[in-house]
Amino acid sequence: MKPIKLILDTDVGSDCDDMMAISYMIAAEKKGLVDPLAITISHPAPYAAAGIRGLYRSYGASAPVMGQMSKETPRGDWYGQKIYEKFGKECDLAPVEDAVTLLRKTLAESDGDITLCAIGPLNNMTDLLESKGDGISPLCGVDLVREKCSKVVLMAGGFVPDEDGKNRPEWNVKVCTESSRRFFELCENEVYMLPWEAAHTMITGKRAVKELGDSTPLTLSFINFHGSEGRSSWDPATLLWALEGNRDLFTLTEAGRVTVDEIARTEFTPDKNGNCRIIGINQLENESFTDAQARVAAYIDDAVYPLLGI
């Protein structure tokens, strides 16, 4: 089987599960499962790219070409600078391209069949869809994504009601609410979404932090994110589905449509003509939801831990 051609859009620095997701991607690349074409960063943390480069180098690998958004947003960087200071090299601060420019270039130069996976807010994705034809490609963003991407995979949304009976706003959608709303209006591709509730209590990285402390970029990112001993696995679970599909780990809903309201609540409406499906956790016979989540978490840890030597 040919490796999946992947573009990953991430908000490294704002949460540590992005670092676990990229670690899983590196492990998958070493197994020949994925060909990462580019990584784009969906917030402007100045040390985000340095953190990614340090992570790759710690595993004996080289990061793919990277791009980053330039718009200011109210999000911090919990660990990028610390990784640079502890593990970095001068080249780690090399500039990266503008995210949308890199996305357009990577898509235009490819022969298609790309998986576009976003595990952070959707500002880069919406800016790509809203981009106009240019010297890179005469196609607008919607047409370029439709022509070159086989599917779009997101960590986004939440479909569990709060006390008021309305679905709770999810962070990736809420932080750029208007971009999120526009994304679902514009995107014509098949979209697969892993929601907040699927992985909130799915914990990865706990053993690594306990055994390795801050001696690796991955575990340092966990420790510096609220002193985390392990972290919810929204992003690595999303990337796992993007690269390996359902296996016995996940389920998919039928087709439907997703809308975003003014306070970032997402709503899924079944519709055979819709382009969205929701990824869920597969429960085996006599298995609780908690045990099913633990089984997915163990799969992710088992893929990443050999990179760390544990």
Side-chain angles (χ1 to χ4, degrees):
M1 184 176 70
K2 290 183 178 180
I4 291 173
K5 292 180 288 185
L6 181 82
I7 297 173
L8 179 67
D9 188 68
T10 172
D11 58 337
V12 158
S14 64
D15 200 331
C16 59
D17 65 327
D18 295 80
M19 295 292 272
M20 179 61 86
I22 295 172
S23 296
Y24 161 74
M25 184 173 73
I26 294 168
E29 183 179 8
K30 288 178 179 288
K31 294 178 181 177
L33 298 179
V34 60
D35 176 15
L37 303 181
I39 294 175
T40 51
I41 302 166
S42 58
H43 77 124
Y47 288 89
I52 293 171
R53 289 171 177 143
L55 181 71
Y56 265 87
R57 189 169 54 250
S58 74
Y59 298 138
S62 297
V65 62
M66 286 189 281
Q68 188 168 11
M69 68 168 291
S70 57
K71 298 176 184 177
E72 290 298 324
T73 57
R75 287 174 270 161
D77 181 359
W78 290 93
Y79 51 80
Q81 183 171 354
K82 291 180 173 62
I83 290 175
Y84 173 73
E85 291 170 350
K86 188 175 179 68
F87 303 102
K89 296 183 177 180
E90 204 58 43
C91 63
D92 289 350
L93 293 180
V96 297
E97 294 191 58
D98 170 74
V100 174
T101 300
L102 178 59
L103 288 165
R104 288 186 58 83
K105 184 187 304 183
T106 305
L107 293 173
E109 293 176 354
S110 79
D111 57 2
D113 198 27
I114 290 173
T115 294
L116 183 58
C117 182
I119 55 176
L122 296 175
N123 43 279
N124 280 344
M125 298 296 96
T126 301
D127 288 350
L128 168 62
L129 291 172
E130 292 182 332
S131 65
K132 308 297 184 182
D134 55 16
I136 296 171
S137 170
L139 297 177
C140 69
V142 170
D143 291 342
L144 190 57
V145 173
R146 185 180 62 241
E147 181 175 300
K148 297 292 188 172
C149 294
S150 56
K151 60 179 176 288
V152 177
V153 184
L154 310 177
M155 191 283 116
F159 303 98
V160 173
D162 277 329
E163 295 77 9
D164 62 359
K166 300 290 188 179
N167 293 340
R168 68 176 66 200
E170 182 272 321
W171 194 87
N172 281 347
V173 175
K174 185 176 182 179
V175 75
C176 294
T177 303
E178 181 60 20
S179 287
S180 300
R181 185 185 66 79
R182 289 287 292 152
F183 173 87
F184 288 105
E185 291 178 348
L186 291 169
C187 187
E188 298 178 359
N189 294 66
E190 294 293 321
V191 176
Y192 301 87
M193 299 170 59
L194 186 133
W196 178 88
E197 61 270 15
H200 174 57
T201 53
M202 180 193 297
I203 306 301
T204 50
K206 191 169 185 177
R207 177 186 161 205
V209 173
K210 182 177 180 180
E211 293 189 15
L212 301 175
D214 65 356
S215 66
T216 75
L218 175 64
T219 51
L220 183 149
S221 74
F222 273 62
I223 290 169
N224 280 277
F225 185 80
H226 299 298
S228 177
E229 295 181 357
R231 182 59 176 150
S232 302
S233 301
W234 302 290
D235 294 351
T238 302
L239 196 52
L240 170 57
W241 188 90
L243 299 185
E244 302 193 41
N246 279 354
R247 301 179 61 94
D248 66 346
L249 304 173
F250 299 102
T251 61
L252 278 178
T253 66
E254 295 300 316
R257 299 189 183 277
V258 170
T259 56
V260 179
D261 73 8
E262 67 280 358
I263 61 167
R265 294 176 299 201
T266 47
E267 189 72 34
F268 175 77
T269 304
D271 181 345
K272 65 180 181 180
N273 296 315
N275 67 328
C276 295
R277 294 188 176 196
I278 310 304
I279 303 165
I281 305 302
N282 183 45
Q283 292 175 240
L284 302 178
E285 187 175 0
N286 298 321
E287 185 178 47
S288 69
F289 183 68
T290 299
D291 287 343
Q293 285 190 311
R295 183 164 50 86
V296 179
Y299 188 95
I300 296 166
D301 279 339
D302 287 347
V304 170
Y305 283 178
L307 296 174
L308 297 166
I310 61 175

